Every structure is written in C-alpha cells, then in structure tokens.
Amino acid sequence: MDWITTVDHKKIAILYLWAGGLFFGIGGLEAILIRIQLIKPMNTFLDAQTFNELITMHGTTMIFLGVMPVIFALMNAVIPLQIGARDVAFPFLNALGFWTFLFGGILLNLSWIMGGAPDAGWTSYTPLSTTTYSATHGVDFYTIGLQIAGLGTLIGGINFLATIITMRAPGMSYMRMPMFAWTTFITSAIILFAFPAITVGLVLLTFDRILGANFFEVGGGGNPVLWQHIFWIFGHPEVYILILPAFGIISEVIPTFARKRLFGYSSMVFATILIAFLGFMVWAHHMFTTGLGPVANALFSVSTMLIAVPTGIKIFNWLFTMWGGQVRFTTPNLFAVGFIPTFTMGGVTGVMLASAPADFQFHDTYFVVAHFHYVIVGGLVLGLFAGLHYWWPKMFGRMLDEGLGKWTFWTFIIGFHMTFFVQHFLGLMGMQRRVFTYLPNQQFDLLNLISTIGAGLMGVGMLFFLANIFLTSRKPADAADDPWEDGRTLEWTIPSPPPEYNFKQTPLVRGIDAFWKEKTAGHKGMTPSEPVGSIHMPSATILPFLMSVGIFIAGLGFMFSRDTFSSEALSFLFNNYIVTGLGLLITFGSMLMRSLYDDHGWHIEPEELEGR
Amino acid sequence: MMKTWQAGKRLLPMTATLGLILAGCGREDLSVLRPQGPAAESSFDLMKLAITIMIVVLLIVFSIAAYVLIRFRRKPEQREIPEQVEGNFKLEVLWTVIPLILVVVLAVPTVKAVFAAGNDHSDDKNAIKVKVTGHQYWWEFEYTDYGVKTAQDLVIPAGKDIAFELSTADVLHSFWVPSLAGKMDTNPDGTINRFSFSAPNEGVYRGKCAELCGPSHGFMEFKVKSVSDAEFEQWLASMKSPAVLPEDPEIAAKFKSACLQCHAVGDQGIAMGPDLTGIGSRESVAGILLNDDTGVDGAPILDNLKTWLHDPQGVKPGNKMPDPKKDLGLTDEEIDGIAEYLAGYTLD
C-alpha cells in the first residue's frame, strides 16, 4: 500500500526501475526469440505473423517501456539530490506520471493475450497499420497504450523542467549545475516539444481505426506519408530524449573515477543544447526513400551531418577529462569507458546514413539495424548500466558486487559487438530488415549465426546483473555517504539511502562540483544555507493510481466499442461507451476529489530531525 | 592548402584498399558492395568516401582512448589530487572545426549525387518506361510504351536507361535491386515516385522489397534480367503473341474457370493477380522458389509450381491466392496438370 500511495521521488524512482526493468526483460526475451528465428535460413521456429508481432513489440517496448522508465528512474533518484532539493516540484504529478506509464505499458502488453499484438512495426506506417491491413486489435493496443504511457512521460518531463528551473539550492546557477542535471533539463525540454506530435499522430490514427476517419486512408483523401512526417517529427527527437541522459551519466561517472573535473564544461552544455535544437530539424532523414525530392533530401542530409559536430565535441571532452587524471576501473567506469568507442561507432555510421544517395542503399537494411542498436544499446544501455552501478548505493544503500559487475560488463559488451557489428555487413550484402526469414546461399548464413550467438551472450550478461541485484539485496544496507570516495556532486553529501527529506539543511553551493570543492578546501561537508527548521512534506495519496486505473479502463472500453461480443450484456456495455464512461468517471472523479479536498501535507519538526 | 592536398593524397590509397576489401563482400548479383550499374556505383562511391573518413575518425578516437586508459590508470601509491583542468579553448575549437571540415568534405559530393539521382529519365525518348506496382506480395511490371505487362521478372535491355514510375496497389513497399541501385518506396496514388537505373552487364540480379508490408514481406522478392537488345525485342514479341492454353481440354477448362478469374495469360483472363504469360521462362515461382535444374540453388520449375499450387499459404503466408484444393475445388491431378502446363509455357 505504501508503494501505491507514495509521492516520494526516491520511491517513485524505484517503482520506475522495477517496472522499466520488467518491460526491459520482456523486450529482451522478444529480441532473443527474434534472433533464434534468424539463426539459420528458412527457419520455421516462428511463423511470419508472430515474427512481425515480435519485432513490433520489441521496438515499441524497448523504446517506450524499457529504457525510458529506467532513464526516469535515474532522473527521479538523482536530480533532486544533485540540485539540493527536497523533492521534485510536483510530487503528486510525479506519481501520476509513473502510474499512467505503467498502465499504458500493461495495456500495450495485454495485446499478447487479448487477440493479437500490433504487427505493423514500431513505426506503424500507414496503410499497413489501418484496419484494412491489420484487422486485429493489435494496433489499437499500440495507439491507446502508447497514448496513456506517453501522458506519463509528458507529465514527467514538465515536472523536471519545473524542478530544475525553480528548486536549485542557493548558489547553484545554471552554469554550476552537474551535467546530468543539464541533460535532464534539455531532455525534458525535448519531451515537451516532441511528445505532443506523437500524441496528435496517435489520436489521428485511433480515429482512423476506431471511428472510421480518413486522415491516412488514401481512398478517403488521406495521405499515408503524412503519418511518416508526424511520426518522425516526434521520432527523431525521441532519439535524443534517449541518448542525452546517457551523455549526462557518462559526464558524471568519468570525472568521478578520473578524479578530474569535466573537461570543457561550458562547451558540453553548449553542445547539448545544439544537439537538442538540431534534433528537431532532421526528421526527414528517416524518409529519404519516400520520394521527397532532391531539394528536401539535400537539406536534410546536410543538417543531419551537422549533428556530428556537437557530438564530436562531447567525445573529445570525455577523453580529455581522463587525460592527466587517475582512472579507476570500477564497474560504472568500465561501462562509461566502454561507452565512448561503442557510441562513436554508432555515431559515425549515423553520418554515413545522413548521405542521402548512400542511404538509398542503407535504408531499411540490417545496416540501419546495426546503426541504431549501436546508438541505443551501445550508447544508452551502456550509459544506463554505468548510471545504475554508480548510483545503486545511493538508491538502495548497498554497493553492487564489483566482481559480478565486471562479469556483466564483459559478457554484455562482447555479446553486443558480436551481435551488431556483423549486421553492418549483412545490410550491405543485401539483407533487408524486418524479414522473418531469408533464402540460403546468399552469404547471410554465417553472419546471422554469429549475431544470434552474440545476442545469447548479451542475455547471459543480463543474468549476471540480475544475480548481482539479488545477492546484493540480501546484504546489509551499509553503504557510506560517499561510497566511491571521489564523489563530486551534492548527492554524495547525504546518507545512502537518503532520508525522506533528503537535506536536513539546504546546502550552499559555491562552485561547480560543489562537494568536491568543499573537500579540496578541507571541509568535511557542505556549508548549510539555512538553520535547521521544520520541513514541509507532501501527503501520500492513492489518487494518481486511481486516475490511471480510470484511463486504463476507458482506453480498453473505447478500443472494443465497435466489437460484437458473445454475451449481449457485454456488447451493451461496450457498444454504448458505458465502460469508457465508467473509466473516465473514475479519472475525473479523482481529479475532482483532488481539487475539492485541500491537503496541506505535513511537517517534520527539528526535534525529530535531530533524534534520527 | 598544401596540407589538405597531402591529406587527400594519403586518403586515396586507403579508399582504393577499402574498395577492394569491401568488394569481396557478398554475391555479385545482390551485394551493395559489388555495384553492377551507374546508380549503385554512385552510392558506392559515396559510401567509400564516408567509410574512409569515418575510419580515420575512429582510429583517432580509439588511439586517444587507448593511450589515456593505459597511461593514466590510477596507481596504488597515488594520493595527490590531479590538477583540475577547466578546459582548453584552442583544443575545443580544434575539435569543432575538424569535424566541420569533414562534414563539408562529405556534404559536397552528397549534394551533387542527390541531384544526380533526381534525374529520372521520364522524358527521355531512349529510355524504357516501366510502371512498377507493388502488391502484397508480388511485383507488377508494365511496359507502357509496348503495352506489355508481366510480373516478378523484370526483363530489361542491357545498358539502356530504365525510367521507373513506382506506385502500390495496397500498402507501402520499397523497390530495391541492391547491386543496381538504391531503393525507392512505392506509395499509393497521388505520391508516385520516379527514378531510373541501367544495367550495363547482361545477367540476373536479385531484387527485394525493403518496406515492411505484412507477413510475407521477406518473401516479396523479384529478379531483374538484363538481356541483349535482340533478346529484349524477341521477348516483347512473344509476350504480345496470343495466349497458349493447356492442350488437354479438361485442364484447359479448369484453368479458365479457376485460374483466369484472377490471372491473365497473353490476351486472356484478368490481370488482377500476377500475369502468367511465359511463366515457364521465369527465374522463380512466387518470387522465392528459385527455379534451377541443377538443384544447387533451388528445384526444377515443375516441382516449384507443384509446391506452390498445393499449398500457397504454406509457401507465402498471408498472400491473396485462394487455395486451389480447398477454395477452388481442384483435384490433385488437375493441380499437377496445370503445373505441368505452366512449367511448359515458355517464351522461346
């Protein structure tokens, strides 16, 4: 019950982590099944329809329900601590964001047991995703599930923007913020501008499918290329929503374990902003083969290539952060160090893809599959592993085992390169993506076998990580405040795990890497900026949970509103939008309760603070 | 200026070596890395340039990373705190400007090639005009100037520019012959795409659908046959000659009542499904059952036709063909008879 009603950002972080981890596991199993099917030519392990459902759900799950929540978990766990705040700006909304994400994700995955998963690819290109060609409810689960989950992301993004703008500790100017706080800030801004695009797109597609509208239906005057534009105007910035937090994590981990401040801090900030800006300008590079014409293709080619410049700045700044430092190879730093060359490889193939005439060959082949897995797995997932190992003691008060951590790293990264490096060549040799099998004697056989073995090895790496979590959880929670000994930012000044109120006294920030600055000045901790006083805390509440349950029910009701059921009572309930109405009633009823009942929260008094 | 030229001179042998190494990858009739026509060569040239630049970048990043990781490991006796360096303006400008230059080096030929690829030959009197229509899961080729329509095997005269007009009858597909040219999507009416390629060398090239289009997306393959001018003329002539029907009158009657409701042969039937004129001369049955009497790369055409006609859904799941036995009520003997007739229906 405590977990359902919590509004504490640290507990919500843990909820995000478990839920995200669960979906990540589902997405991973889907990936393994896909690779088993492709282990040899003309394999019959899966049928074509199941394979298409698996690739669709693998992509959708990993992007929206796997990695995004883990990013949100780290942001929730760390950002308020890093900027010296006692919580996020809107704790109630924070809980609401989590629950809508979870129920959206559950709705999407219900499709596996409720008559067919979405099968039109994670991009759901029309007309394949219209009812004419995808007759099951699969794509409805996609549109409505993602709509509900996306709501949570948007709420979370706005919350972090407000938190970072208004709740920084005294003295922490923008240019003194840790890099992870900066990338969270910019990521949230991208979410704010990109998610409305997918929201609109999903509404239009839902209308086409459920209400018979004609936005994308050619016969009714719709335009299927319009969907591609809407999808990628969201979809490309989404890539940066994913990768910028990883950049932030790497920028925290490397300085800590090199014992040096981040090289070129201001150029890092500048590069982050530039990447976000350019990220909105380049969506059509996913559509070079759609037939936009040479002018559009040339413009989008060049603007895409430009992103290499700020990204290059970051890579070299990380390398020169370690230059002249004292690099320690702890597990988090292994992942961070492994990130640099791996991500660089994903970056350079990105520049290659940007060249439109060459992309006519690369597009929709395994070369592209290799490229974006290098960016998302080799970049983001390695970044998340670095961050999880790094902040685990702060989140749970327990150090993960270093030995098992190193096993995780080596099996995962070797498996990763085995899986995806060879896929570059598969693509160039003529293997298109999203094929459920392939003819023998095309010289695809050996490379596919290697790729599948690599995927298995990545799976083994994940098992090491799970074992590490399990074994660690049985040990006492005795991590030090600053367990890595060279912590530079504010989160390392308070106990692990932090008390409910984070900071007994809000610290005074006197420069970049605030804690490191105090340490080198010979101080033991931060100088407080206020006397010990009564701390205001928000009350726990079940309303966010109820609101999300309501939306979930309404979504299911709407999805089946045109169906005929075997039982007349069911048909009556669904066809007259009674189920939808009931769901909305729960949601709006909860909102009304929230508005009418004035909750002032509660206080932790100074005596209590001293007592603990 | 001198220095950039020297850098360019150093890049040249590297590009050449790379070209040689990459050219060893894959089948000549399939691989992007072994281009067989000017359009694919233009893409390949850009790829070689891009790969060269990228390998140089990777080598620099990898060597700095390796040096840093070896040289600046923390030693057990180290206690003093390393100097906290804020940054270095000159260095940071350096790694902003160098990538910019590299981007320009790649961007200029890219833009040139983009506009060159935009030249689609649709007004060229010497070009052969072909209307390509994608269907779930087969390809229709209509030679508009000659009034000839065929399916799955695109026959073209070697060396001539072929001007394509691409569209689709249902969902999006993407028309791709890797060793001849990059791909282009087939969109529904209203957003028709045009492009062109030519195949200077005679031969058979493998084509694929590159856009997810349903369960049998992976099986939506086709062949491009580049032939001499004389052979092409002869092929056109035999395509236009009257239809050959089965000799056995019973089979002929069944073929007319069951198959010609959707298919066409010569001047007979309806061209809703793939045109069957001269199917015995094609490279494959249903795009993926390769015809090959040697048995190295497939089965004889008769076996392939029988496999297909006895179980179309098993060969190509989700296709629109009714099951000859269950839906059309044909007996095994009738199916085999039709298969024999079709296997014998060649164009020479």
Side-chain angles (χ1 to χ4, degrees):
Chain A
M1 197 62 191
D2 184 30
W3 289 99
I4 293 179
T5 58
T6 186
V7 293
D8 178 8
H9 72 96
K10 297 175 288 296
K11 283 192 171 169
I12 289 173
I14 292 168
L15 285 173
Y16 264 118
L17 186 61
W18 294 143
L22 173 74
F23 288 124
F24 191 89
I26 296 174
L29 286 179
E30 285 158 359
I32 298 273
L33 292 176
I34 290 169
R35 277 316 320 169
I36 293 177
Q37 165 66 14
L38 293 171
I39 194 168
K40 61 175 189 177
M42 299 304 277
N43 199 1
T44 50
F45 174 67
L46 299 169
D47 64 60
Q49 176 64 24
T50 315
F51 184 87
N52 284 357
E53 291 175 4
L54 280 171
I55 54 163
T56 304
M57 286 299 280
H58 167 68
T60 313
T61 303
M62 283 305 197
I63 298 273
F64 292 96
L65 311 175
V67 289
M68 290 257 280
V70 179
I71 295 171
F72 267 61
L74 287 179
M75 287 177 175
N76 260 304
V78 176
I79 291 302
L81 306 182
Q82 273 199 333
I83 62 173
R86 292 208 167 102
D87 206 329
V88 292
F90 307 108
F92 180 90
L93 279 185
N94 203 14
L96 179 61
F98 169 75
W99 291 112
T100 48
F101 141 70
L102 181 67
F103 280 102
I106 291 174
L107 185 72
L108 183 56
N109 276 284
L110 275 182
S111 62
W112 283 119
I113 50 172
M114 288 177 71
D119 56 0
W122 88 278
T123 52
S124 258
Y125 274 12
T126 55
L128 187 62
S129 58
T130 59
T131 41
T132 323
Y133 300 101
S134 187
T136 69
H137 275 297
V139 181
D140 297 326
F141 280 106
Y142 171 94
T143 54
I144 292 176
L146 287 190
Q147 192 70 276
I148 296 173
L151 204 61
T153 310
L154 192 53
I155 291 172
I158 293 171
N159 208 345
F160 281 118
L161 278 177
T163 306
I164 293 173
I165 291 172
T166 60
M167 296 176 71
R168 282 164 291 130
M172 181 172 281
S173 62
Y174 281 105
M175 292 312 279
R176 284 180 181 175
M177 265 193 331
M179 261 329 276
F180 185 59
W182 255 113
T183 54
T184 300
F185 183 57
I186 302 295
T187 301
S188 304
I190 304 177
I191 289 176
L192 182 64
F193 290 105
F195 263 74
I198 190 74
T199 305
V200 168
L202 290 173
V203 166
L204 300 184
L205 188 56
T206 310
F207 280 15
D208 267 18
R209 286 185 59 91
I210 297 179
L211 303 179
N214 287 308
F215 292 105
F216 308 117
E217 200 75 60
V218 186
N223 184 347
V225 178
L226 177 65
W227 167 262
Q228 298 181 27
H229 282 291
I230 295 176
F231 184 85
W232 288 117
I233 284 173
F234 149 78
H236 196 78
E238 169 71 17
V239 176
Y240 297 98
I241 294 174
L242 298 180
I243 199 63
L244 288 183
F247 287 174
I249 294 167
I250 302 302
S251 305
E252 298 293 322
V253 172
I254 285 185
T256 301
F257 296 108
R259 306 186 90 201
K260 271 188 69 199
R261 69 171 282 181
L262 187 66
F263 192 91
Y265 173 86
S266 46
S267 65
M268 287 298 236
V269 171
F270 171 73
T272 309
I273 297 171
L274 200 62
I275 289 173
F277 178 76
L278 288 172
F280 278 96
M281 308 289 155
V282 299
W283 77 90
H285 70 217
H286 297 267
M287 300 163 62
F288 284 147
T289 66
T290 306
L292 302 177
V295 177
N297 282 357
L299 282 172
F300 281 102
S301 273
V302 176
S303 59
T304 304
M305 287 177 192
L306 284 179
I307 296 185
V309 178
T311 315
I313 294 176
K314 282 181 169 281
I315 300 277
F316 285 106
N317 279 346
W318 286 321
L319 289 176
F320 278 76
T321 301
M322 291 187 282
W323 193 286
Q326 300 164 1
V327 183
R328 275 165 72 199
F329 293 99
T330 58
T331 308
N333 202 35
L334 272 182
F335 279 106
V337 166
F339 165 96
I340 296 177
T342 312
F343 179 76
T344 311
M345 287 169 73
V348 295
T349 48
V351 180
M352 292 173 66
L353 286 167
S355 175
D359 184 67
F360 294 157
Q361 292 284 21
F362 299 140
H363 185 71
D364 268 337
T365 69
Y366 263 88
F367 189 88
V368 174
V369 176
H371 158 73
F372 67 70
H373 281 95
Y374 262 87
V375 174
I376 297 178
V377 183
L380 175 62
V381 175
L382 288 184
L384 286 177
F385 267 129
L388 284 172
H389 284 90
Y390 180 60
W391 281 307
W392 199 271
K394 188 52 64 184
M395 286 177 79
F396 296 97
R398 295 177 177 91
M399 295 286 279
L400 285 173
D401 184 74
E402 280 288 298
L404 275 173
K406 281 170 186 160
W407 275 101
T408 311
F409 172 75
W410 287 111
T411 44
F412 189 81
I413 200 161
I414 292 170
F416 166 79
H417 283 281
M418 260 177 90
T419 311
F420 295 109
F421 186 70
V422 295
Q423 291 186 357
H424 292 114
F425 294 94
L426 276 175
L428 294 174
M429 284 157 62
M431 182 163 166
Q432 70 277 49
R433 72 191 272 217
R434 292 168 162 176
V435 289
F436 85 103
T437 191
Y438 47 93
L439 287 175
N441 300 329
Q442 298 189 100
Q443 303 191 3
F444 298 166
D445 310 6
L446 178 66
L447 297 183
N448 269 300
L449 176 67
I450 295 174
S451 191
T452 301
I453 296 172
L457 206 53
M458 287 169 79
V460 172
M462 290 306 302
L463 291 181
F464 277 120
F465 184 58
L466 290 179
N468 200 349
I469 293 175
F470 177 71
L471 293 175
T472 303
S473 70
R474 301 169 54 138
K475 288 191 211 150
D478 57 356
D481 294 4
D482 183 11
W484 303 109
E485 288 156 12
D486 293 318
R488 308 178 71 85
T489 39
L490 289 177
E491 73 266 32
W492 307 112
T493 62
I494 51 174
S496 312
E500 232 180 328
Y501 45 82
N502 297 351
F503 295 88
K504 194 160 77 177
Q505 292 161 289
T506 303
L508 179 69
V509 174
R510 299 194 301 161
I512 192 166
D513 290 338
F515 186 33
W516 182 262
K517 198 172 169 66
E518 301 295 333
K519 279 199 268 192
T520 47
H523 301 157
K524 282 247 166 67
M526 301 298 297
T527 317
S529 65
E530 58 174 13
V532 177
S534 162
I535 296 172
H536 174 248
M537 301 295 292
S539 308
T541 163
I542 197 161
L543 289 180
F545 178 81
L546 288 181
M547 285 180 192
S548 311
V549 170
I551 299 179
F552 173 80
I553 295 172
L556 270 180
F558 186 53
M559 198 183 303
F560 290 98
S561 58
R562 292 290 175 97
D563 283 34
T564 13
F565 294 86
S566 50
S567 122
E568 282 214 11
L570 272 181
S571 296
F572 176 77
L573 283 176
F574 278 93
N575 296 352
N576 294 304
Y577 298 101
I578 293 174
V579 178
T580 314
L582 186 75
L584 290 178
L585 196 71
I586 297 176
T587 301
F588 285 112
S590 308
M591 287 184 182
L592 193 71
M593 293 232 329
R594 166 83 175 156
S595 314
L596 295 181
Y597 174 65
D598 223 2
D599 185 350
H600 293 290
W602 51 290
H603 286 81
I604 302 177
E605 300 306 329
E607 307 83 66
E608 235 180 304
L609 291 172
E610 299 299 344
R612 271 182 219 188
Chain B
M1 200 58 217
M2 198 58 205
K3 267 197 175 159
T4 45
W5 168 235
Q6 275 181 341
K9 268 210 296 200
R10 275 191 212 118
L11 282 182
L12 273 178
M14 197 159 169
T15 321
T17 332
L18 254 177
L20 280 175
I21 295 171
L22 293 177
C25 275
R27 288 170 60 126
E28 204 170 56
D29 60 348
L30 173 64
S31 177
V32 168
L33 301 172
R34 306 184 74 178
Q36 303 296 318
E41 262 158 30
S42 148
S43 293
F44 188 52
D45 287 343
L46 270 175
M47 261 180 235
K48 279 189 290 187
L49 174 68
I51 293 177
T52 311
I53 296 174
M54 297 313 147
I55 287 183
V56 171
V57 171
L58 284 181
L59 284 179
I60 295 170
V61 171
F62 285 7
S63 27
I64 296 178
Y67 177 76
V68 165
L69 294 180
I70 294 165
R71 170 76 180 73
F72 298 109
R73 300 183 68 113
R74 187 172 182 184
K75 292 159 197 80
E77 73 278 8
Q78 273 180 324
R79 286 284 172 271
E80 84 291 348
I81 287 167
E83 192 196 346
Q84 303 292 299
V85 186
E86 196 164 315
N88 183 315
F89 185 70
K90 274 186 198 156
L91 275 176
E92 286 164 57
V93 168
L94 187 75
W95 56 65
T96 312
V97 172
I98 291 178
L100 257 179
I101 294 172
L102 293 178
V103 163
V104 171
V105 170
L106 185 59
V108 172
T110 293
V111 171
K112 267 191 198 159
V114 166
F115 284 94
N119 177 11
D120 63 21
H121 289 280
S122 54
D123 297 328
D124 183 349
K125 285 209 182 69
N126 295 317
I128 311 281
K129 288 164 193 76
V130 178
K131 210 170 138 183
V132 176
T133 311
H135 298 261
Q136 279 177 326
Y137 305 93
W138 58 282
W139 295 92
E140 179 182 313
F141 304 114
E142 188 182 351
Y143 296 72
T144 42
D145 293 345
Y146 303 101
V148 165
K149 205 186 245 186
T150 185
Q152 295 300 35
D153 276 18
L154 172 68
V155 181
I156 57 170
K160 276 258 179 77
D161 283 312
I162 319 295
F164 292 100
E165 191 183 304
L166 305 171
S167 79
T168 172
D170 36 58
V171 302
L172 306 183
H173 304 278
S174 194
F175 181 77
W176 187 35
V177 193
S179 58
L180 292 181
K183 62 191 70 64
M184 187 62 90
D185 291 0
T186 65
N187 298 327
D189 280 354
T191 43
I192 287 170
N193 282 329
R194 294 170 206 284
F195 89 130
S196 94
F197 65 61
S198 65
N201 309 318
E202 289 179 29
V204 180
Y205 304 96
R206 292 191 176 198
K208 313 228 168 199
C209 172
E211 180 71 77
L212 179 67
C213 58
S216 280
H217 159 58
F219 285 158
M220 196 172 154
E221 305 205 345
F222 61 102
K223 305 286 175 298
V224 177
K225 280 167 95 166
S226 170
V227 298
S228 69
D229 279 349
E231 276 179 88
F232 182 67
E233 292 299 329
Q234 196 200 336
W235 178 78
L236 282 176
S238 39
M239 280 300 286
K240 281 197 254 187
S241 57
V244 182
L245 285 173
E247 281 164 22
D248 182 339
E250 270 177 50
I251 298 286
K254 275 287 172 191
F255 181 70
K256 271 190 190 167
S257 67
C259 308
L260 290 186
Q261 299 307 311
C262 297
H263 294 282
V265 279
D267 47 357
Q268 305 217 7
I270 305 160
M272 212 166 80
D275 189 293
L276 300 177
T277 316
I279 188 172
S281 323
R282 289 201 189 141
E283 297 290 321
S284 64
V285 171
I288 45 147
L289 299 172
L290 301 179
N291 301 331
D292 181 6
D293 284 326
T294 64
V296 176
D297 222 4
I301 181 162
L302 181 60
D303 292 359
N304 280 342
L305 277 165
K306 283 182 184 169
T307 311
W308 168 250
L309 289 175
H310 280 285
D311 185 14
Q313 286 300 325
V315 175
K316 226 171 182 175
N319 79 79
K320 303 262 161 61
M321 167 121 163
D323 189 289
K325 210 184 298 181
K326 279 184 220 131
D327 303 329
L328 302 174
L330 297 182
T331 63
D332 283 346
E333 292 73 43
E334 286 166 338
I335 291 173
D336 289 346
I338 289 173
E340 270 163 41
Y341 149 68
L342 288 174
Y345 193 165
T346 56
L347 289 179
D348 348 88

